């Protein structure tokens, strides 16, 4: 029996972890024991608790209840808590997802006490080190032993950074193994989309007609914290809302920052705009149904960009660059930054000519099983 400790903390990690926990439950129950540690980075019920029951994720064995804070303060508390757990649990490996502060904390804690790290969603790069996530993911990749990249671009990024294409073990932090594994979030979208259609009542609750609205999400720090950028995004959304209903499940960071950085005039226009419907963060099944039923998606989220591709929807990316370059190259997404004119131009282009190519970039829907198999074989 291999014992793994999984670190989760932010919303997308809780969702990603569902795929591996499901694969363990269905295929590796007698071979892998999973201990789940929640750092408490996200803690509102609709950013954390809501997902556990709905996605059938085992409840965390530990919760560090770290909460929000400055980068150093938050990460330091996590490192301390994770180190303690790793010393007590003595796992064969630590599983980390993505690029949040919870990921970085896990990477530092485990590598210093020589516990092999499995990094899921390895190799992604924005080549923009002003993003906290870019720092987190580079540091984590370079402390890992098994690196699973969801895309071929991610795999190539690792090779370009000096990772070798090794077949024969032993594998360890100085001799890591890199994979192009496919994306566990694609596994999840396939698994949960039917369930979403059967169980979610979000369209009725929000009075939405399938195919007749645009879905938006905003939460990146360089959008929420920079007044000119958040202003440009909302001005563009107000312009589009003259023609289309837009539904915007608001991340708590954005809700808080809007009131701080937007002018009272713009806040008034937003609250008087019936077509711009802001709601609290929704459950994953609700989100999947919203994505699947939308006509277009406008987002700065990494996860939501990909899901727009899974559900064959055009996507306007509210960032200056993306790690998911394949969806832009396929013509399914446009990089619009926080530029009002670019957002409106791409919106009009996609309304007239929706993208046609949504070929498989993200694997075969069995990435989590593949990862479990490799953990058993290589560690
Ligand atoms: C974090 C990740 C980001 C990821 C995002 C997913 C880092 C550096 N950033 O960003 O990569 O895309 O999660 O959603 O790890 N807040 C609440 N309730 C919560 C959680 C947060 O009110 O449950 C508010 C707090 O004011 C907090 C702010 O949101 O200060 C930001 O939270 P934080 O976890 O630091 O970063 P995110 O912007 O959520
Ligand atoms: N998501 C959700 N409810 C919401 C908004 C997003 O369940 O109200 C899901 C979304 O479907 C995706 C993940 O959360 O799977 C993305 O998380 P987020 O945008 O917070 O972070 P990122 O992917 O940018 O790191």
């Amino acid at each position: 029996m291999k014992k793994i400790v999984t670190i989760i903390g932010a919303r997308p990690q809780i969702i990603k972890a569902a795929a591996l926990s499901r694969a363990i439950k269905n295929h590796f129950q007698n071979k892998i024991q999973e201990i789940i540690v929640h750092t408490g980075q996200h803690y509102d019920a609709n950013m954390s608790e809501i997902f556990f029951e709905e996605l059938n994720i085992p409840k965390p064995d530990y919760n560090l209840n770290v909460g929000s804070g400055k980068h150093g303060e938050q990460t330091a508390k996590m490192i301390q808590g994770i180190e303690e757990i790793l010393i007590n649990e003595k796992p064969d490996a630590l599983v980390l997802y993505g690029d949040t502060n919870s990921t970085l904390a896990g990477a530092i804690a485990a590598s210093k006490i020589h516990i092999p790290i499995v990094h899921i969603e390895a190799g992604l790069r924005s080549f923009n080190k002003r993003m906290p996530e870019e720092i987190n993911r580079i540091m984590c990749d370079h402390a890992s032993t098994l690196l699973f990249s969801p895309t071929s671009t991610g795999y190539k990024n690792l090779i370009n950074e000096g990772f070798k294409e090794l077949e024969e073990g032993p594998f360890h932090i100085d001799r890591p193994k890199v994979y192009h594994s496919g994306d566990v979030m694609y596994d999840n979208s396939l698994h949960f989309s039917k369930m979403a259609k059967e169980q979610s009542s979000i369209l009725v609750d929000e009075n939405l007609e399938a195919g007749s609205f645009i879905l938006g999400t905003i939460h990146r720090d360089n959008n929420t914290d920079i007044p000119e950028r958040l202003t440009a995004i909302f001005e563009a959304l107000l312009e589009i809302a003259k023609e289309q209903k837009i539904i915007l499940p608001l991340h708590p960071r954005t809700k808080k920052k809007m009131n701080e950085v937007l002018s009272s005039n713009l806040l008034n226009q937003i609250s008087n705009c019936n077509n711009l419907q802001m709601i609290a963060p929704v459950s994953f099944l609700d989100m999947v149904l919203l994505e699947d039923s939308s006509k277009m998606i406008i987002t700065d989220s990494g996860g939501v960009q990909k899901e727009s591709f899974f559900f064959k929807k055009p996507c306007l990316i509210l960032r200056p660059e993306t790690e998911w370059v394949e969806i832009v190259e396929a013509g399914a997404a446009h990089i619009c930054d926080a530029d009002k004119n670019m957002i409106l131009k791409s919106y009009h282009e996609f309304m007239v000519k929706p993208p046609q190519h949504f070929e498989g970039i993200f694997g075969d829907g069995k990435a989590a099983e593949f990862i479990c198999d490799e953990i058993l074989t290589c560690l």
Side-chain angles (χ1 to χ4, degrees):
M1 182 75 105
K2 282 247 153 43
K3 186 187 207 180
I4 60 170
V5 168
T6 295
I7 303 290
I8 55 176
R11 167 171 68 189
Q13 296 170 319
I14 302 170
I15 301 171
K16 284 167 200 167
L20 210 74
S21 299
R22 189 170 63 248
I24 293 171
K25 188 169 161 215
N26 293 340
H27 303 285
F28 301 92
Q29 209 159 33
N30 300 323
K31 294 182 178 160
I32 299 179
Q33 179 198 359
E34 185 183 34
I35 310 272
I36 297 182
V37 178
H38 193 326
T39 61
Q41 177 169 353
H42 286 173
Y43 44 86
D44 290 349
N46 58 17
M47 295 294 286
S48 173
E49 197 185 317
I50 196 174
F51 301 108
F52 287 91
E53 200 151 305
E54 173 182 65
L55 307 184
N56 205 6
I57 310 168
K59 285 264 178 312
D61 299 274
Y62 298 89
N63 194 324
L64 300 175
N65 292 311
V66 160
S68 305
K70 295 196 284 289
H71 286 285
E73 180 191 9
Q74 186 185 51
T75 312
K77 285 186 195 153
M78 292 177 190
I79 296 173
Q80 199 173 3
I82 294 169
E83 182 180 61
E84 214 55 53
I85 293 167
L86 293 178
I87 288 169
N88 290 332
E89 292 286 351
K90 299 182 182 49
D92 297 295
L94 180 73
V95 175
L96 298 172
Y97 290 94
D99 52 22
T100 71
N101 287 348
S102 299
T103 316
L104 175 65
I108 294 173
S111 57
K112 294 288 181 76
I113 54 172
H114 311 145
I115 291 172
I117 294 169
V118 175
H119 189 200
I120 299 179
E121 231 181 48
L124 299 172
R125 298 290 180 265
S126 62
F127 302 100
N128 172 3
K129 287 193 183 136
R130 289 187 63 83
M131 282 180 81
E133 293 84 357
E134 184 78 348
I135 305 296
N136 293 346
R137 54 171 88 105
I138 291 173
M139 309 272 254
C140 180
D141 279 342
H142 287 265
S144 294
T145 291
L146 300 185
L147 296 91
F148 293 96
S149 173
T151 59
S152 60
T153 300
Y155 182 83
K156 283 182 210 140
N157 289 338
L158 292 171
I159 300 301
N160 288 340
E161 282 175 24
F163 286 87
K164 303 275 182 305
E165 296 186 284
L166 302 175
E167 289 300 329
E168 293 290 312
F171 303 109
H172 48 78
I173 188 168
D174 286 314
R175 204 172 174 282
K177 181 158 186 186
V178 295
Y179 301 84
H180 173 196
S181 59
D183 194 330
V184 292
M185 280 309 293
Y186 184 52
D187 301 11
N188 270 341
S189 293
L190 294 179
H191 183 81
F192 290 115
S193 60
K194 187 162 168 270
M195 221 183 272
K197 285 196 183 89
E198 288 162 4
Q199 293 180 22
S200 169
S201 61
I202 189 81
L203 299 183
V204 178
D205 297 347
E206 296 302 330
N207 197 17
L208 296 166
E209 200 184 312
S212 74
F213 63 90
I214 290 178
L215 171 67
T217 76
I218 308 159
H219 79 275
R220 289 282 154 205
D221 62 351
N222 79 325
N223 283 335
T224 58
D225 299 10
I226 300 179
E228 304 76 50
R229 292 179 63 89
L230 199 62
T231 298
I233 290 171
F234 272 100
E235 283 179 355
L237 294 181
L238 283 171
E239 199 60 37
I240 295 171
K242 288 179 183 163
E243 299 176 2
Q244 308 286 340
K245 186 173 249 193
I246 304 177
I247 180 118
L248 203 59
L250 264 197
H251 191 288
R253 173 184 204 111
T254 316
K255 188 174 181 197
K256 194 170 137 201
K257 287 287 175 180
M258 278 176 75
N259 293 317
E260 284 172 28
V261 308
L262 298 182
S263 69
S264 50
N265 178 24
L266 189 57
L267 284 170
N268 270 341
Q269 287 181 53
I270 294 167
S271 63
N272 291 332
C273 176
N274 289 336
N275 257 359
L276 188 53
Q277 206 165 315
M278 285 183 287
I279 58 173
V282 295
S283 77
F284 186 62
L285 292 186
D286 286 348
M287 190 64 181
V288 162
L289 192 63
L290 286 174
E291 289 169 340
D292 204 8
S293 311
S294 67
K295 64 162 78 162
M296 190 182 293
I297 294 179
I298 303 181
T299 189
D300 60 10
S301 156
V304 179
Q305 284 176 53
K306 279 186 296 179
E307 286 159 3
S308 70
F309 190 84
F310 302 157
F311 294 109
K312 301 186 168 38
K313 307 297 172 186
C315 180
L316 309 190
I317 301 173
L318 303 174
R319 287 188 38 202
E321 74 279 305
T322 180
E323 301 78 27
W324 308 105
V325 288
E326 284 94 342
I327 66 172
V328 177
E329 285 162 6
H334 285 178
I335 291 182
C336 300
D337 204 355
D339 181 318
K340 183 178 172 188
N341 291 333
M342 272 157 67
I343 297 168
L344 294 176
K345 183 166 174 279
S346 291
Y347 158 70
H348 288 297
E349 274 176 29
F350 276 142
M351 287 301 287
V352 176
K353 202 164 170 259
Q356 303 297 324
H357 301 292
F358 294 94
E359 282 92 45
I361 292 170
F362 296 96
D364 60 3
K366 293 189 174 154
E369 285 168 47
F370 174 78
I371 290 168
C372 289
D373 250 331
E374 292 302 311
I375 290 174
L376 287 171
T377 314
C378 296
L379 290 181

